[in-house]
């Protein structure tokens, strides 16, 4: 697992990532934690090599493992949306640690990572070192070295470095893999939180979503490699590449489906923006508010994320609403109101066929329901309305009342309110139009954001 | 061979079989299903905005796939064809609401007509922004390009037009005309446009699809065959 912000294979994604990177890079290379990590990695490497020395005598068969590690490192899976990639060399590295010692494993891990960077840049799959920045290479190699060092320490702390039976060898390899994985995961999370300004929960959630069973299988494969090596059955080791390649293919599919899920949201939003000059800003603000309110109301990170996605899509039905009516100055006639009110149902109808959106369809449908039963489309009563819809309703109403920076966004029939006025209005309507609990939490969020 | 090695071998074989099933059958189906579902959502959005298109996409997809099979397209081309047939009109979102709801095409001004004429390009540009659908952008962009290149110099001509676009062009104009002016005239204009607006090979395949018994038709079509 490493970070590849500007090396994504996808051109557009890479451009975006690259622009982002350039923006923060000067801050990054001065970041004390980054340099601390690189120095720490260097020290770990030196300590590893000194502590475990040249290790056991080099067997020619080790080269099978080294070659497999190098090949595996050159077949990464890129998860472009998350700007990380997975490689599959760890089982071989773990066995090298058992056979020749953790220092050799560390050297092979770093060497193969360096080789893969060079080869992939050469093949044009990735930006070269000059473009991507030596800094990132250093960071990635530091990550590898630190993870491998920590894994070696963990294995030797468990007293498993010189196994005496098949079971012990497998356990040792499993420990090495787990230790490596945990440290690697922590460092990449650190990157996400500190440098890419994402939240830790986001990172953990998306990694688990992409491959949770895979990690277990990966550990088992490293156990298998260790047993084969312990039994000196080197000729069978290349066979372990079959499940690894399968794992890789599965990850490619999963990453594709994961990307497609978000791209569907983007595409639907694009269609809506084509139909109506909705700005990205409005949807983004509503989504941010809704997610924060959901977190404060005690929904988990995964559920809050879904609420965020629902609030990006909540007005999707406006694709099928006449823009002349929506942009009309002055009061709408009864007939026009009915036409506009259709958007809640239509939005739900558009999302209904998509299975991953199953949960959010009712939230979109009911985002104009009111606790007093005078909302639309189903005139639901307080207890029937999903909490998620209530959150979206408050966030949407607040942003609609206060937005003022863009012409297309502006509800032409009145001037934008100040934040205080809008909050007062929410308070006035709480209990009839909005849920009082949501309004109370929403106020806290606005205050915490420093807007009031 | 020791016990440990035998155990590992058995594990390797079992896991390989499971994984091959998983990545060869299970996952592709899942991913395909996700793609199909989102395609449905896109075409539904357009059909809800312009009720005159209601149900059109389903028919265009079905007939396009039949033509594709007739032309013996590869599996990948068939997949692209199906998705592009769903997505062909997403650019219509930028067309004003009233143009599809009440205002007849005869009354459109030149500017309004232009917003319609540009919908393939708009759709293509939208797809360019979506990495997993980018391979369909060119198909959507060309889906109304004339086969002989009449009119617009910015589009490819003849066989440079992707075959999926040529099929969608023939099928969607037929389905639209059929809906607006009836099957007989639609069929007639198809035959007349063959070689000009439409690829003659595709038109021939489509004619045999239409006259085959496997496609249910509201009206007999064979009588107009010249």
């Amino acid at each position: 697992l490493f970070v590849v912000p500007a090396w994504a294979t996808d051109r557009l994604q890479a451009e975006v990532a690259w622009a982002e990177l350039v923006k923060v890079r000067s801050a990054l290379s001065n970041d004390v934690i980054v340099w601390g990590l690189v120095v720490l990695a260097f020290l770990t490497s030196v300590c590893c090599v000194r502590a475990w020395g040249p290790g056991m005598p080099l067997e020619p068969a080790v080269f099978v493992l080294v070659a497999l590690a190098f090949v595996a490192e050159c077949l990464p899976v890129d998860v472009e949306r998350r700007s990380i990639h997975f490689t599959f060399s760890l089982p071989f590295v773990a066995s090298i640690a058992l056979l020749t010692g953790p220092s050799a494993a560390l050297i092979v891990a770093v060497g193969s990572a360096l080789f893969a960077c060079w080869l992939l840049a050469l093949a044009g799959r990735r930006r070269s070192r000059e473009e991507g920045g030596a800094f990132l290479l250093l960071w990635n190699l530091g990550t590898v070295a630190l993870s491998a060092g920590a894994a070696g320490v963990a294995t030797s702390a468990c007293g498993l470095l010189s196994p005496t039976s098949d079971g012990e060898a497998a356990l040792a390899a499993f420990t090495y893999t787990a230790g490596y994985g945990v440290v690697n995961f922590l460092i990449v999370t650190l990157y996400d939180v500190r440098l890419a300004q994402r939240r830790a929960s986001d990172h953990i959630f998306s990694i688990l979503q992409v491959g949770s069973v895979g990690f277990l299988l990966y550990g088992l494969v490293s156990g298998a490699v260790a047993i084969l090596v312990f039994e000196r059955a080197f000729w069978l080791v290349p066979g372990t590449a079959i499940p690894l390649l399968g794992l890789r293919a599965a990850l490619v599919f999963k990453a594709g489906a994961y990307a497609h899920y978000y791209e569907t949201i983007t595409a639907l939003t694009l269609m809506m923006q084509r139909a109506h000059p909705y700005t990205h800003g409005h949807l983004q603000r509503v989504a941010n508010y809704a997610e924060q309110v959901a977190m404060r109301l005690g929904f988990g990170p995964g559920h809050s994320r879904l609420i965020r996605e629902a609030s990006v899509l909540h007005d999707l039905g406006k694709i099928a609403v006449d823009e002349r009516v929506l942009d009309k100055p002055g009061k709408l006639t009864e007939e026009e109101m009915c036409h506009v009110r259709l958007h809640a149902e239509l939005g739900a109808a558009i999302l209904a066929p998509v299975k991953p959106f199953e949960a959010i369809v009712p939230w979109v449908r009911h985002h104009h329901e009111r606790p007093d039963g005078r909302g639309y489309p189903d005139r639901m009563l307080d207890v029937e309305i999903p909490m998620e819809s209530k959150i979206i309703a408050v966030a949407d109403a607040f942003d609609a009342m206060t937005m003022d920076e863009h012409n297309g966004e502006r509800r032409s029939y009145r001037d934008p309110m100040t934040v205080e006025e809008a909050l007062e209005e929410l308070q006035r309507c709480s209990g009839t139009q909005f849920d009082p609990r949501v309004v109370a939490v929403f106020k806290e969020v606005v205050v915490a954001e420093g807007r009031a | 061979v020791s016990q440990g090695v035998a155990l590992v071998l058995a594990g390797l074989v079992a896991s390989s079989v499971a994984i091959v099933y998983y990545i060869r059958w299970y996952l592709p189906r899942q991913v395909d299903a996700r793609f199909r579902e989102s395609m449905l959502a896109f075409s539904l959005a357009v059909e809800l905005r312009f009720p005159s298109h209601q149900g059109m996409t389903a028919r265009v997809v079905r007939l396009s796939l039949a033509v594709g099979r007739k032309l013996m397209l590869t599996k990948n081309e068939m997949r692209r064809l199906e998705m592009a047939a769903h997505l062909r009109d997403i650019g219509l979102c930028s067309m004003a609401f009233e143009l599809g709801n009440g205002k007849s095409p005869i009354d459109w001004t030149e500017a309004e007509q232009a917003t319609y004429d540009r919908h393939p390009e708009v759709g293509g540009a939208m797809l360019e922004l979506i990495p997993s659908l980018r391979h369909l952008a060119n198909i959507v962009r060309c889906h109304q390009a004339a086969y002989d290149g009449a009119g617009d110099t910015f589009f490819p001509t003849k066989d440079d037009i992707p075959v999926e676009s040529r099929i969608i062009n023939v099928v969607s104009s037929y389905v639209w005309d059929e809906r607006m002016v009836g099957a007989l005239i639609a069929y007639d204009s198809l035959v007349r446009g063959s070689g000009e607006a439409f690829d003659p090979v595709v038109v021939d395949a489509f004619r045999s699809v239409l006259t085959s018994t496997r496609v249910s038709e509201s009206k007999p079509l064979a009588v107009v065959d010249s």
Side-chain angles (χ1 to χ4, degrees):
Chain A
L1 201 64
F2 340 127
V3 180
V4 275
W7 290 332
T9 47
D10 189 277
R11 199 153 29 88
L12 189 84
Q13 206 79 29
E15 288 311 320
V16 172
W18 179 241
E20 212 172 86
L21 186 77
V22 166
K23 221 166 37 184
V24 288
R25 196 161 68 167
S26 58
L28 294 195
S29 40
N30 294 330
D31 195 298
V32 72
I33 288 201
V34 175
W35 287 110
L37 179 116
V38 172
V39 170
L40 194 61
F42 181 71
L43 288 179
T44 318
S45 319
V46 172
C47 290
C48 254
V49 174
R50 285 200 57 103
W52 286 300
M56 287 140 249
L58 211 60
E59 291 185 50
V62 172
F63 292 108
V64 177
L65 292 172
V66 174
L68 283 169
F70 271 66
V71 171
E73 195 69 25
C74 294
L75 294 169
V77 178
D78 295 299
V79 184
E80 281 152 21
R81 269 199 83 78
R82 307 279 307 113
S83 62
I84 48 178
H85 76 200
F86 295 88
T87 57
F88 297 90
S89 58
L90 193 48
F92 309 116
V93 172
S95 288
I96 294 171
L98 299 185
L99 194 63
T100 317
S103 51
L106 191 145
I107 291 165
V108 171
V110 174
S112 62
L114 196 60
F115 175 71
C117 273
W118 171 74
L119 198 69
L120 291 176
L122 200 69
R125 288 266 329 270
R126 244 182 242 163
R127 284 166 186 265
S128 65
R129 200 151 51 88
E130 293 76 42
E131 277 183 278
F135 160 73
L136 273 173
L137 185 70
L138 213 57
W139 164 272
N140 281 336
L141 293 183
T143 308
V144 172
L146 205 53
S147 311
V153 171
T155 318
S156 83
C158 295
L160 292 164
L161 262 185
S162 38
T164 50
S165 71
D166 283 354
E168 251 178 53
L171 190 64
F174 201 85
T175 314
Y176 191 93
T177 309
Y180 188 103
V182 168
V183 173
N184 201 310
F185 188 73
L186 286 179
I187 296 173
V188 176
T189 307
L190 174 78
Y191 169 87
D192 259 17
V193 173
R194 175 124 186 134
L195 308 181
Q197 253 102 64
R198 293 191 197 99
R199 285 189 326 247
S201 61
D202 259 21
H203 178 75
I204 293 164
F205 184 70
S206 60
I207 293 287
L208 290 183
Q209 203 177 18
V210 169
S212 43
V213 186
F215 291 133
L216 187 67
L217 199 57
Y218 196 48
L220 289 179
V221 172
S222 44
V225 175
I227 291 177
L228 292 180
V229 168
F230 181 76
E231 298 284 351
R232 296 292 184 271
F234 289 105
W235 52 279
L236 276 174
V237 171
T240 53
I242 298 169
L244 281 185
L245 283 175
L247 213 55
R248 180 179 182 276
L251 195 61
V252 170
F253 271 117
K254 288 249 173 172
Y258 180 76
H260 183 69
Y261 171 75
Y262 284 101
E263 283 158 16
T264 306
I265 296 178
T266 316
L268 288 170
T269 319
L270 274 178
M271 284 176 84
M272 185 164 69
Q273 285 170 346
R274 281 277 174 187
H276 300 284
Y278 247 97
T279 61
H280 196 56
H282 170 63
L283 297 173
Q284 214 56 51
R285 283 192 302 271
V286 172
N288 282 338
Y289 281 131
E291 192 180 19
Q292 286 181 43
V293 171
M295 293 289 267
R296 278 186 186 240
L297 278 172
F299 289 108
H303 201 83
S304 305
R305 209 184 162 89
L306 264 182
I307 294 175
R308 182 194 181 87
E309 281 139 24
S311 40
V312 169
L313 295 172
H314 73 278
D315 271 345
L316 188 62
K318 286 195 176 164
I319 288 179
V321 171
D322 193 343
E323 58 277 353
R324 284 171 308 168
V325 177
L326 279 182
D327 300 340
K328 184 181 162 185
K331 233 176 156 42
L332 301 182
T333 65
E334 194 51 40
E335 198 187 341
E336 287 168 336
M337 278 312 285
C338 288
H339 180 60
V340 171
R341 281 176 180 164
L342 278 178
H343 83 265
E345 277 169 81
L346 294 175
I350 294 171
L351 294 177
V354 188
K355 206 169 160 225
F357 293 148
E358 222 169 20
I360 71 175
V361 169
W363 309 344
V364 169
R365 184 178 169 93
H366 300 307
H367 78 274
H368 278 296
E369 300 285 1
R370 298 165 48 136
D372 60 4
R374 290 172 55 224
Y376 57 90
D378 295 328
R379 295 181 157 262
M380 280 180 160
L381 285 176
D382 192 12
V383 287
E384 299 174 299
I385 309 171
M387 200 62 190
E388 295 84 353
S389 304
K390 293 174 177 173
I391 296 173
I392 297 172
V394 173
D396 186 31
F398 176 80
D399 204 67
M401 286 192 278
T402 54
M403 63 193 170
D404 51 3
E405 77 249 38
H406 191 278
N407 213 15
E409 272 187 354
R410 188 157 163 177
R411 306 278 159 112
S412 27
Y413 44 87
R414 54 172 162 62
D415 291 327
M417 297 180 180
T418 63
V419 172
E420 285 75 19
E421 284 169 348
L423 285 180
E424 249 169 55
E425 179 71 16
L426 286 182
Q427 188 57 51
R428 203 175 59 73
C429 300
S430 99
T432 53
Q433 193 177 350
F434 305 114
D435 189 289
R437 285 166 296 174
V438 178
V439 171
V441 174
F442 187 81
K443 274 188 175 170
E444 286 172 27
V445 169
V446 173
V447 171
E449 285 241 309
R451 280 194 68 180
Chain B
V1 175
S2 77
Q3 203 187 349
V5 175
L7 196 72
V8 167
L9 269 182
L12 277 184
V13 171
S15 65
S16 300
V17 170
I19 275 189
V20 165
Y21 164 76
Y22 187 65
I23 59 170
R24 200 70 194 104
W25 284 279
Y26 180 78
L27 272 182
R29 278 195 197 161
Q30 291 276 309
V31 171
D32 252 24
R34 292 293 95 78
F35 268 81
R36 289 229 164 85
E37 287 162 1
S38 54
M39 298 302 114
L40 275 182
F42 295 132
S43 50
L44 197 61
V46 173
E47 291 184 0
L48 286 175
R49 184 168 171 81
F50 298 117
S52 52
H53 289 243
Q54 208 114 57
M56 214 178 122
T57 299
R59 190 159 160 75
V60 170
V61 170
R62 201 163 60 92
L63 290 175
S64 302
L65 288 180
V67 175
R69 265 194 297 277
K70 198 109 213 156
L71 291 175
M72 292 193 281
L73 298 191
T74 64
K75 207 173 159 194
N76 276 336
E77 284 171 329
M78 290 291 276
R79 265 175 64 89
R80 283 204 294 270
L81 178 62
E82 183 183 352
M83 297 213 276
H86 271 116
L87 292 171
R88 69 192 192 287
D89 278 346
I90 59 167
L92 279 182
C93 271
S94 61
M95 197 169 88
F97 184 80
E98 61 165 344
L99 299 187
N101 291 275
K103 196 167 181 182
S104 156
I106 303 165
D107 301 331
W108 291 357
T109 64
E110 218 163 277
E112 287 167 345
Q113 180 66 41
T115 63
Y116 174 80
D117 291 342
R118 286 190 56 243
H119 84 264
E121 282 165 78
V122 172
M126 282 163 75
L127 293 182
E128 280 285 345
L129 295 175
I130 303 161
S132 61
L133 302 176
R134 191 168 299 152
H135 60 298
L136 305 170
N138 198 37
I139 301 175
V140 168
R141 201 176 75 85
C142 299
H143 88 266
Q144 300 223 314
Y147 183 69
D148 61 1
D152 212 319
T153 48
F154 296 107
F155 288 111
T157 57
K158 306 257 155 147
D159 292 347
D160 293 340
I161 307 175
V163 64
E164 300 91 342
S165 308
R166 281 179 269 151
I167 295 175
I168 293 172
N169 190 6
V170 170
V171 176
S172 66
S173 24
Y174 172 80
V175 172
W176 179 250
D177 285 352
E178 182 194 40
R179 182 166 283 225
M180 291 294 134
V181 293
L184 296 178
I185 301 178
Y187 189 81
D188 195 37
S189 65
L190 201 67
V191 174
R192 261 191 256 174
S194 170
E196 293 169 9
F198 307 125
D199 180 358
V201 178
V202 175
V203 171
D204 285 346
F206 187 49
R207 282 165 68 178
S208 65
V209 164
L210 278 181
T211 47
S212 77
T213 49
R214 296 174 74 185
V215 177
S216 60
E217 279 303 328
S218 47
K219 287 166 194 157
L221 286 160
V223 285
V224 242
D225 203 337
S226 45

